[in-house]
Amino acid sequence: MSTRRLTVAQALISFLSRQYTERDGHKQRLINATWGIFGHGNVAGIGQALVESAPEMRYLQGRNEQAMVHAAVGYARQSNRLSAHAVTTSIGPGATNLVTGAALATINRLPVLLLPGDVFATRPADPVLQQLEPPSAGDITVNDALRPVSTYFDRVNRPEALIPAALAAMRVLSDPAETGAVTLALPQDVQVEAYDWPEEFFSERVWRVRRQAPDPDELAEAVRLVREARRPLLVAGGGVHHSAAEDVLATFAEATGIPVAATQAGKGSLPYDHPCEVGGIGHTGTATANELARTADLLIGVGTRWSDFSTASGTLFSNPDVHFLNLNVTGFDAHKLAADPLVADARTALQLLAAGLVGHRVAPAYATEYTEDKERWEYRVAAAFTADEDLVRPTQAQVLGALDALVTGEDIVINAAGSLPGDLHKLWRARSRDQYHVEYGYSCMGYEIPAAIGVQLAAPDRPVWALVGDGTYLMNPTEIVTAVQERLPFKVVILQNHGYASIGGLSETVGAERFGTAYRFRAPDGTYTGAPLPVDLAANAASLGMRVIRAKTVRDLREALAEARAADVPTCVYVETETADTVSGVPPAQAWWDVPVAETATRPSAVKAREQYDRHVAARRRQL
């Protein structure tokens, strides 16, 4: 058997460069690039290996380890989970900075390969710089913090251990039911150790992404449930996108007339103007979808994990005869809410379900009902978007309206946290399957800018927009430098409202009186009142290398957005909006969300909030 003598790091990079996925006859690289920030623990190992393998493995220089994972996640989502990035870091804070990004990837079922450096396996220096050194165990390092947020974790303490670890990592990354963050912790001395590797380890390997077919009995039961339902509602989750099932879903909806609502991850599964599309569901959803949910006798969940936002914390589905049918590639999600499971790939399951429903269609009165309700909701959207051209400090919804009037199906809009996800879920008119990119599984502030970079890498010829409020911008703007370095012409829209608008509104609702949510000077009495802080985020973005356009009026905003869309360099549009404590004009929440309120309090606002909370809790229902 022929062998090749390489270090562990060299062997790993060479191995990764020869891994592919294939689905429906389309083949692509599984690990298409490696992000890295170097320090002791990876500079002499993975760093040196990347230098040697430059033609085979693209390197991307990050500025923050968490942000590198976000960028990799954005790339993987845009690539339908068929292609991913690796992320390498040093030991210590470089490694622990991966934890938030890893949690986000795993929660959202998105693949990313993490390659943190680790302490010496042979322990010639003990403790080494940045070593945790817990007194209770000698084999725990900071990388163990990645175990609970990884779908697969291994520590490669010997060269020969890399072979099974690397193969297992690829299996998990390419498995639609198991994928998420995969961590291979690499002790720094092992990374540089040479070994005689079998040539077969470096052979091209194709990981076929299966389209699992449903069990025939489960399929027959699913057909029966749909045929017997009088008010069915389909809820499209992120699995529709991951499976590339949008066209099949459209055909299914058109044939049956079943209305389709969407979670945050599933929005865009049908374009907004499709006759069966009824908008977002749950706390941030539309009145149309939520009224249908309250009266539905069958909920058909497709590729959704049924988060508390989507279910209004168990209060939304109030029909006493409601039943659930879950089409999901994982049995774990398919059995939620005491559902009848249909464990299968979303595209495959919808095709087979449609075949069993030939000739079946909902009653005309039901279709008329949701069509008219949708028309009424669109009037509310138009009202929220409308603004006078000379208006200074538009509302957040009016900013979205200006962008909505400009974009086409080619544009991709990215957001994750704050008040924007709610406004977008209610109002945004998704025109294509991948235009709407809101990360709401972890709702991580600081995701938007690095994720937009990852999306731009996956879709280099399309306009990519990162929408950020001032709060989330301040969390993680550093990857702007990476976009400048890589000449990526993504666009950032900064909405400056001088505070945490979303959590401020929630704080008021739960009786916490917007405490600690505004960016204002501290008064002598300890409160934060008065004028907003003199913070210039536009100047900050410019200092990081972005071209910045300031917009004062709505007319300025429209011109700035058009200019940014046409730009071939990273460009920022900065607009001052109504302050965080001002009513935005967006329709209020159409369903409840459980945020516990103090059971005893002396302040009237908290007492009142608790009374309202108790009324909502009483409506919660366990689906058993």
Side-chain angles (χ1 to χ4, degrees):
M1 182 175 65
S2 59
T3 60
R4 190 187 309 178
R5 192 162 181 80
L6 298 170
T7 68
V8 168
Q10 292 163 356
L12 176 59
I13 298 301
S14 184
F15 168 85
L16 293 177
S17 69
R18 291 167 174 79
Q19 307 302 302
Y20 293 82
T21 61
E22 184 179 61
R23 188 177 71 180
D24 301 335
H26 299 289
K27 177 180 164 185
Q28 49 275 310
R29 277 273 294 269
L30 175 50
I31 304 298
N32 208 29
T34 297
W35 291 83
I37 297 175
F38 296 109
H40 83 95
N42 69 337
V43 64
I46 295 291
Q48 188 277 332
L50 287 168
V51 171
E52 289 203 354
S53 63
E56 298 178 319
M57 178 64 72
R58 182 178 183 180
Y59 167 68
L60 295 164
Q61 184 180 30
R63 270 73 195 174
N64 174 279
E65 292 85 359
Q66 177 181 319
M68 292 193 298
V69 185
H70 292 337
V73 167
Y75 175 88
R77 174 167 166 171
Q78 186 62 31
S79 302
N80 270 358
R81 306 195 301 183
L82 299 174
S83 186
H85 285 168
V87 178
T88 179
T89 71
S90 64
I91 74 170
T96 52
N97 280 350
L98 296 173
V99 173
T100 296
L104 181 147
T106 296
I107 286 170
N108 286 284
R109 306 345 190 221
L110 293 168
V112 60
L113 177 61
L114 308 180
L115 304 173
D118 213 325
V119 301
F120 286 87
T122 54
R123 305 189 191 178
D126 190 27
V128 71
L129 177 65
Q130 298 178 327
Q131 184 172 336
L132 183 62
E133 200 182 15
S136 61
D139 62 347
I140 293 177
T141 78
V142 296
N143 284 328
D144 287 279
L146 287 159
R147 287 182 183 270
V149 293
S150 299
T151 53
Y152 180 80
F153 179 98
D154 203 350
R155 180 175 282 113
V156 183
N157 282 319
R158 291 289 304 147
E160 56 268 37
L162 176 65
I163 294 176
L167 291 170
M170 298 305 102
R171 175 188 62 78
V172 174
L173 287 170
S174 61
D175 189 323
E178 294 186 30
T179 196
V182 168
T183 299
L184 295 182
L186 303 171
Q188 56 183 307
D189 52 344
V190 176
Q191 285 184 49
V192 301
E193 188 174 343
Y195 184 75
D196 293 322
W197 305 91
E199 281 288 353
E200 290 84 354
F201 184 55
F202 306 110
S203 298
E204 182 178 303
R205 194 178 301 266
V206 178
W207 301 84
R208 288 182 173 82
V209 180
R210 71 180 65 90
R211 287 201 179 277
Q212 181 179 347
D215 175 85
D217 291 339
E218 288 186 356
L219 178 61
E221 179 64 9
V223 170
R224 184 190 69 80
L225 288 170
V226 177
R227 284 190 174 276
E228 292 182 357
R230 294 294 174 263
R231 298 184 63 84
L233 174 65
L234 190 148
V235 177
V240 174
H241 294 311
H242 299 329
S243 180
E246 296 89 355
D247 291 346
V248 174
L249 174 61
T251 300
F252 176 88
E254 289 157 11
T256 62
I258 295 174
V260 176
T263 67
Q264 286 279 12
K267 191 174 171 77
S269 294
L270 294 182
Y272 82 98
D273 55 356
H274 189 282
C276 295
E277 200 274 345
V278 294
I281 195 166
H283 178 69
T284 55
T286 68
T288 304
N290 285 341
E291 284 305 311
L292 291 171
R294 291 184 179 97
T295 58
D297 57 0
L298 178 66
L299 273 298
I300 308 169
V302 182
T304 176
R305 62 192 189 93
W306 291 116
S307 76
D308 65 332
F309 254 69
S310 299
T311 66
S313 300
T315 63
L316 184 55
F317 310 117
S318 52
N319 185 329
D321 298 320
V322 68
H323 197 81
F324 290 82
L325 169 65
N326 288 344
L327 285 65
N328 206 291
V329 74
T330 69
F332 174 77
D333 288 319
H335 283 85
K336 288 179 177 175
L337 300 175
D340 273 85
L342 192 59
V343 181
D345 166 75
R347 183 182 182 89
T348 301
L350 282 170
Q351 287 173 327
L352 293 173
L353 188 59
L357 293 169
V358 172
H360 175 75
R361 190 169 178 83
V362 300
Y366 185 48
T368 299
E369 175 189 333
Y370 69 71
T371 299
E372 293 178 349
D373 281 350
K374 179 181 176 180
E375 289 175 357
R376 285 190 286 271
W377 181 259
E378 281 299 316
Y379 284 121
R380 300 180 73 178
V381 173
F385 279 174
T386 300
D388 185 273
E389 294 294 290
D390 296 320
L391 177 67
V392 178
R393 292 185 183 275
T395 65
Q396 185 165 272
Q398 289 166 337
V399 174
L400 294 180
L403 185 60
D404 173 83
L406 173 70
V407 301
T408 71
E410 288 297 301
D411 295 69
I412 302 169
V413 175
I414 298 163
N415 186 245
S419 56
L420 272 166
D423 290 357
L424 286 163
H425 201 205
K426 290 191 193 84
L427 306 176
W428 188 257
R429 296 162 171 163
R431 293 160 172 80
S432 62
R433 62 168 299 277
D434 60 354
Q435 182 183 75
Y436 188 89
H437 182 130
V438 171
E439 186 285 301
Y440 217 56
Y442 211 38
S443 188
C444 184
M445 296 180 74
Y447 171 82
E448 295 89 343
I449 289 173
I453 292 171
V455 171
Q456 191 77 82
L457 288 166
D461 299 323
R462 296 175 63 180
V464 177
W465 302 84
L467 308 184
V468 297
D470 49 350
T472 197
Y473 176 86
L474 288 168
M475 290 278 183
N476 207 357
T478 55
E479 296 312 304
I480 287 173
V481 179
T482 301
V484 172
Q485 182 179 34
E486 297 292 329
R487 296 183 173 88
L488 299 173
F490 85 125
K491 302 89 173 62
V492 176
V493 180
I494 301 176
L495 295 89
Q496 171 64 282
N497 60 13
H498 302 286
Y500 297 118
S502 174
I503 210 68
L506 179 61
S507 173
E508 187 172 36
T509 300
V510 300
E513 304 175 31
R514 294 185 177 267
F515 178 76
T517 62
Y519 294 163
R520 298 180 184 275
F521 286 104
R522 186 183 181 91
D525 63 358
T527 60
Y528 293 89
T529 59
L533 299 177
V535 176
D536 192 340
L537 301 184
N540 179 267
S543 75
L544 297 177
M546 287 202 96
R547 178 187 178 195
V548 176
I549 309 170
R550 297 175 185 258
K552 290 187 176 180
T553 66
V554 170
R555 181 179 290 103
D556 294 339
L557 175 63
R558 296 188 192 279
E559 294 172 356
L561 292 172
E563 189 175 342
R565 190 175 188 272
D568 59 0
V569 296
T571 303
C572 170
V573 174
Y574 175 86
V575 57
E576 295 255 356
T577 65
E578 290 283 1
T579 56
D581 55 358
T582 303
V583 175
S584 69
V586 176
Q590 304 298 308
W592 186 60
W593 180 42
D594 188 351
V595 177
V597 178
E599 191 168 0
T600 62
T602 57
R603 297 178 74 87
S605 59
V607 173
K608 181 180 179 181
R610 181 66 195 198
E611 292 172 354
Q612 294 174 339
Y613 178 81
D614 289 337
R615 284 196 295 271
H616 284 296
V617 166
R620 175 181 282 139
R621 177 183 175 189
R622 295 283 186 186
Q623 302 295 341
L624 300 173

